Amino acid sequence: MDKKVRVRYAPSPTGFLHIGNAQSAEFNYLFARHFNGTMVLRIEDTDTKRNVKNGEESQRDNLHWLGIDWDEGPDKPNPKYAPYRQSERNAKGIYHKYIQELLDKGLAYKDYTTEEELQEMRERQRANKEAPHYDGRWYGKSEEEQKAAEAKGLKPTIRFHLPKNHDYEWDDIARGHVSFNSDNLGGDFIIEKSDGMPTYNFAVVVDDHSMEITHVLRGADHISNTPKQIAIYEALGWEHPTFCHIPLIFNPKTGKKLSKRDKDTLQFISEYKRHGYLHEAIFNFIAFLGWSPKGEQEIYSPEELVKVYDPDRMSKAPAYFDQKKLDWMNGQYIKKMDVDELTKRTLELVKEGETDEAKRLQAVPDETLKELLKKTITVHQRDVEKLLEVMQYAWDYYNVLNKQFDYGQILTKDGFSKENITAVLQGLRAKLAAGRTDYAAAIKEVGKETNIKGRYLWFPLNFAFTGAISAPQIYQIMDIYGQKTNLALLDRMIEAIK
């Protein structure tokens, strides 16, 4: 890299951090860190009508949760480039200065076309089977005609004038050489709205230039914006940054771009957090949405991803969201994580109380909850894929005496008799009543004393303590319950078998 790398993630606070936004943020982060560059967080808040309360805060909080940090932004201003919110930059007149320059050069003009006239234009073009475009009706109009329009109370937009039959080209990191002809861009486009706010395609050029952004990594849905932005760069005599259009994330079931209407897939990073995905796993998974390293390795720490990241390995093809792979990957991280750390994270999710599972566990006394979660994780660390499952198991164990088990099922199995089942249950009950807490040893002794082994020993106990034939190490579950509950569960099944 000839210049010091400067990239930016520039969300609009019109919504919360979506998986697609997170993908763009992460690739900018990996690019900046791999090349020892600077990552900038810029807030593009010019669409004031669509901005949502706490939208910016949600972006920042969820980026931090993912492990993505930035070097400059509203919270880390560099006086050379500040401010970092477009609304504040607009208030300082940063954009209007360049709007006026384009007006003075005759490369932009005021347009007084009303919304009704625009609608009529679109309908006529549709009837003529023409591609929708602005017909340039206000280009070259005199000052007298402009004053006459203003006398009618019309407020103008400012449009950028595109030259005829001009090619806008760039070499894209992900897509190779890309070219658009100016005649296919929909006509002269608005760069300043009638309320004085700059449009996206204009403001982003001024911001990227003035903040010395060297590389722009963003979703492939922006590719049609890029020629318009290059047109503005050329008109102002500026060099444009290197572009990389990241593959869009597709839903494999619909074969279309992942949409907020796709109910079968979680959409927002906050949802992944609530459902008990680990941020390390989400970070790892997102890195593979549109990029792949050399070799077969799939589990990488953030530090390893920064080291192996190679922008030349970005994909042109869409990235398909593989839910099974994400769940598998999250399960791998859970298996490797320290039990105390998993307990801490699950406890945090319970305290936040944003799922039904978490809210139920808030009824558990604090002095009991932590131990309950830790023991549950010890039992299920090998088989769960999300911390939400840990919370579900923990509640089932805490609430076990209120659950109804169908004990009769076991009597339908070949080789099981009431006599043998009762002998196993009563044999273990006697040992627990005598104060035995080494449950594994006590169960083995019952097997020897009754001469009942294998499935005929374990299945009745699985049923007594979980209501199912198949269960994890039953003595670990007994440790979760404690003596009083264990005795109650044995008594309940003994009575039912009678």
Side-chain angles (χ1 to χ4, degrees), residues 11 32 44 82 148 163 220 276 295:
E44 298 186 344

Side-chain angles (χ1 to χ4, degrees), residues 435-454:
R436 293 289 298 277
T437 56
D438 184 347
Y439 302 127
I443 292 169
K444 286 182 181 178
E445 288 174 19
V446 170
K448 287 181 180 179
E449 292 166 6
T450 59
N451 199 30
I452 298 174
K453 297 179 175 61

Side-chain angles (χ1 to χ4, degrees), residues 146-305:
Q146 293 176 21
K147 286 181 179 178
E150 289 181 7
K152 295 178 183 178
L154 298 178
K155 288 187 175 181
T157 58
I158 309 294
R159 286 186 182 267
F160 180 83
H161 179 59
L162 283 166
K164 296 294 182 184
N165 192 30
H166 181 77
D167 289 329
Y168 295 107
E169 302 176 300
W170 73 95
D171 290 318
D172 196 282
I173 291 175
R175 305 178 76 87
H177 188 74
V178 184
S179 177
F180 282 80
N181 187 275
S182 59
D183 293 348
N184 300 320
L185 296 179
D188 298 344
F189 57 92
I190 296 172
I191 56 176
E192 184 178 278
K193 292 176 273 191
S194 58
D195 62 2
M197 290 295 277
T199 59
Y200 167 78
N201 277 321
F202 185 76
V204 74
V205 169
V206 174
D207 290 342
D208 285 344
H209 174 75
S210 60
M211 292 182 178
E212 299 184 41
I213 300 302
T214 60
H215 296 79
V216 171
L217 289 81
R218 59 188 179 194
D221 50 344
H222 281 286
I223 200 161
S224 60
N225 289 321
T226 303
K228 296 178 181 180
Q229 293 168 17
I230 291 177
I232 295 170
Y233 276 106
E234 289 183 0
L236 291 170
W238 297 339
E239 180 183 350
H240 67 75
T242 300
F243 292 101
C244 176
H245 289 89
I246 301 164
L248 299 179
I249 304 172
F250 273 44
N251 183 332
K253 293 182 179 179
T254 65
K256 298 178 181 178
K257 179 187 172 186
L258 194 65
S259 164
K260 294 174 184 176
R261 292 184 294 274
D262 294 337
K263 302 303 181 186
D264 57 339
T265 304
L266 298 179
Q267 299 290 318
F268 298 98
I269 296 302
S270 57
E271 291 179 302
Y272 288 97
K273 180 182 179 183
R274 284 199 298 272
H275 280 74
Y277 287 91
L278 306 183
H279 63 81
E280 297 92 339
I282 296 292
F283 189 98
N284 193 158
F285 177 75
I286 289 175
F288 282 73
L289 293 175
W291 173 86
S292 61
K294 294 178 181 177
E296 300 298 320
Q297 182 179 339
E298 292 188 290
I299 304 298
Y300 285 87
S301 69
E303 294 75 21
E304 289 172 326
L305 284 168

Side-chain angles (χ1 to χ4, degrees), residues 2 5 10 39 49 61 64-65 89 132 189 205 286 294 299 315 322 328 379 406 410 416 439 477-478 489:
D2 297 331
V5 165
M39 180 167 174
K49 291 180 182 177
D61 290 348
H64 278 139
W65 179 77
R89 295 173 68 77
F189 57 92
V205 169
I286 289 175
K294 294 178 181 177
I299 304 298
S315 173
D322 188 339
W328 169 82
V379 173
D406 182 7
I410 196 168
F416 286 90
Y439 302 127
I477 294 175
M478 292 172 66
L489 289 169

